[in-house]
Amino acid sequence: MDQERTLLIVAVGVAVAVGCFVLWGPGTSRTKRRKGHIVGLLNLGHTCFLNTLLQALASCPSVVDWLIEHKEDSEDSLISALRTVLLVLNGEHDHDAVISDPYAPTEVISALLRHSWVISPGEQDAHELFHVLLETLEDEMTSLSAKNGSLSDILLPMRCGQGDAGLPNTVKRTVQNGNVQLDGHRCTSSASRFHPIRRLRDQGSDTTTSLPSVENLPLRSQPASPPIRGTLTSQLKCTLCGFKSALRFDKFDTLSLPLPTSATRQKLTLQMLLDNFVSTEVVKDVTCTNCSKGKEKPVQTTAMKTLNFGKLPKCLCLHIVRTTWNKDGLPWKRDDYVDFPEFLVMDNYTHSQVERNTRVSSL
């Protein structure tokens, strides 16, 4: 009797378990997702760096709103592909659509391929990819909203196909060892020296173009700047006469913060890295305009260079530079722990606040 009761209990338990699995267990890989459901991203083979970047962008409402503002793009554009992926990650997509879980961001990779970006297999740099995405997005937005006509439009050659401004289609651009190569011309870049992301150009195109007339110049507005763009201010102050140079403004999209070179294992905080970034720097052999007044030759002096934020972006992107090189010239990655506060107050790093503090302290 006890054995029959035990078998009955086991049978009922199995039936309940099977029923729960059928009703609430994993269904097919393609199902309609309820509102607010968070899907995962499928690793397409060493694409974790891409998935990490997409998850980070999806958590920035200002970036998502910036992409939503551009509705005139085509369905195969990077703007459309990236906007779709970010909306899916946030559960804000069209809920009548069938979405896979995990979701494969293949449309983003396809859009980059259409723009001739070739991502090498293997480990990649999310920071480099971020700038590739941003450059491509701005290229598309600029083509949708051409700049206002100016004299430079009729003095400089027009863009050839999808190439860079003033560069023919035959130009190849590759990112390798931290430098951008333009057919022998070299300029600095923050790109990774490992597994470069390359951009190929079409071959065999005619690079001869006619100059446009003033009547045909485009007269449309510029696209909105990305919410991650801010400005840095820099200024030189002569140590002899105290003369300050004109304030210089430079745009930035990401802020690269190097780790201190000290060999001691100290606890690092984000505020410490920011303090080191804006710390005053000594610059030698600077021509001082004030000291050179009335002199036959320019006077070379030592100046103190200050660096601060002129305009903070809506979304501040920070890049911790962890790659360093040992005595043999081989790269290695530092694993120093950096503490991030829940709230980061940036007032004391802005130029306006620094000037205000200086005036108050001089009273």
Side-chain angles (χ1 to χ4, degrees):
M1 187 67 178
D2 293 339
Q3 184 177 4
E4 293 178 357
R5 183 179 299 176
T6 301
L7 292 176
L8 178 61
I9 294 174
V10 171
V12 172
V14 171
V16 172
V18 171
C20 292
F21 180 83
V22 172
L23 294 175
W24 298 290
T28 60
S29 60
R30 300 182 62 84
T31 58
K32 291 185 179 181
R33 300 297 167 184
R34 63 185 183 274
K35 184 177 181 180
H37 178 80
I38 304 301
V39 302
L41 285 175
L42 184 66
N43 192 330
L44 302 175
H46 303 290
T47 59
C48 55
F49 74 106
L50 170 62
N51 294 349
T52 300
L53 178 59
L54 293 176
Q55 292 282 9
L57 293 176
S59 65
C60 300
S62 58
V63 174
V64 178
D65 293 340
W66 177 58
L67 294 174
I68 293 177
E69 290 176 1
H70 297 81
K71 291 292 187 180
E72 299 178 359
D73 55 286
S74 60
E75 294 183 357
D76 60 349
S77 66
L78 179 62
I79 302 175
S80 177
L82 187 59
R83 181 175 58 231
T84 300
V85 173
L86 299 189
L87 291 177
V88 168
L89 290 178
N90 289 331
E92 300 174 356
H93 59 281
D94 182 4
H95 298 289
D96 292 331
V98 179
I99 301 298
S100 300
D101 189 5
Y103 186 77
T106 53
E107 58 264 41
V108 173
I109 299 178
S110 299
L112 290 175
L113 289 175
R114 285 191 289 270
H115 282 272
S116 302
W117 286 109
V118 179
I119 304 177
S120 303
E123 182 181 357
Q124 292 289 341
D125 188 347
H127 183 238
E128 176 189 358
L129 178 62
F130 176 70
H131 284 281
V132 168
L133 287 176
L134 185 62
E135 177 184 343
T136 307
L137 288 172
E138 290 195 286
D139 285 347
E140 290 185 347
M141 293 177 183
T142 301
S143 64
L144 292 174
S145 179
K147 67 178 182 177
N148 292 332
S150 65
L151 182 61
S152 61
D153 292 321
I154 61 175
L155 295 180
L156 297 177
M158 295 179 63
R159 292 184 64 176
C160 304
Q162 298 298 322
D164 293 322
L167 294 177
N169 278 2
T170 54
V171 173
K172 292 183 180 180
R173 176 173 56 185
T174 59
V175 181
Q176 188 172 12
N177 295 333
N179 296 307
V180 177
Q181 299 290 338
L182 297 177
D183 275 356
H185 300 283
R186 179 181 178 186
C187 59
T188 60
S189 171
S190 58
S192 169
R193 65 196 303 267
F194 307 104
H195 307 290
I197 299 177
R198 300 178 294 112
R199 192 171 191 178
L200 305 179
R201 301 298 186 188
D202 297 332
Q203 302 293 322
S205 300
D206 184 10
T207 61
T208 303
T209 59
S210 59
L211 296 179
S213 63
V214 177
E215 292 79 6
N216 295 328
L217 292 178
L219 295 174
R220 287 177 286 175
S221 59
Q222 286 276 19
S225 298
I228 62 168
R229 180 156 298 164
T231 58
L232 290 171
T233 63
S234 59
Q235 193 172 41
L236 296 175
K237 181 179 179 180
C238 179
T239 57
L240 292 181
C241 66
F243 175 78
K244 292 183 178 181
S245 65
L247 197 63
R248 175 176 174 176
F249 292 86
D250 296 293
K251 296 180 181 179
F252 74 93
D253 295 319
T254 59
L255 196 64
S256 295
L257 303 176
L259 296 172
T261 56
S262 175
T264 59
R265 303 289 292 185
Q266 57 178 328
K267 180 181 178 180
L268 299 176
T269 65
L270 183 59
Q271 292 90 330
M272 293 173 58
L273 300 185
L274 287 171
D275 290 339
N276 291 337
F277 181 81
V278 301
S279 60
T280 304
E281 178 185 358
V282 178
V283 182
K284 297 182 179 180
D285 300 328
V286 175
T287 301
C288 178
T289 305
N290 188 56
C291 294
S292 301
K293 289 181 179 179
K295 305 293 178 63
E296 295 182 359
K297 295 182 179 180
V299 177
Q300 302 289 325
T301 65
T302 300
M304 305 299 293
K305 180 180 179 180
T306 57
L307 184 67
N308 292 291
F309 292 88
K311 178 184 177 183
L312 289 169
K314 294 181 180 179
C315 180
L316 178 60
C317 297
L318 302 176
H319 169 227
I320 307 298
V321 183
R322 294 186 175 274
T323 302
T324 186
W325 285 263
N326 57 22
K327 297 180 180 179
D328 299 329
L330 298 176
W332 61 284
K333 185 176 180 179
R334 295 178 57 174
D335 58 354
D336 303 64
Y337 176 78
V338 179
D339 183 65
F340 274 61
E342 183 176 1
F343 299 98
L344 179 63
V345 180
M346 295 291 295
D347 294 25
N348 291 331
Y349 301 107
T350 61
H351 174 74
S352 58
Q353 185 63 40
V354 170
E355 289 292 308
R356 191 178 299 110
N357 294 339
T358 303
R359 289 195 298 268
V360 171
S361 61
S362 62
L363 296 178

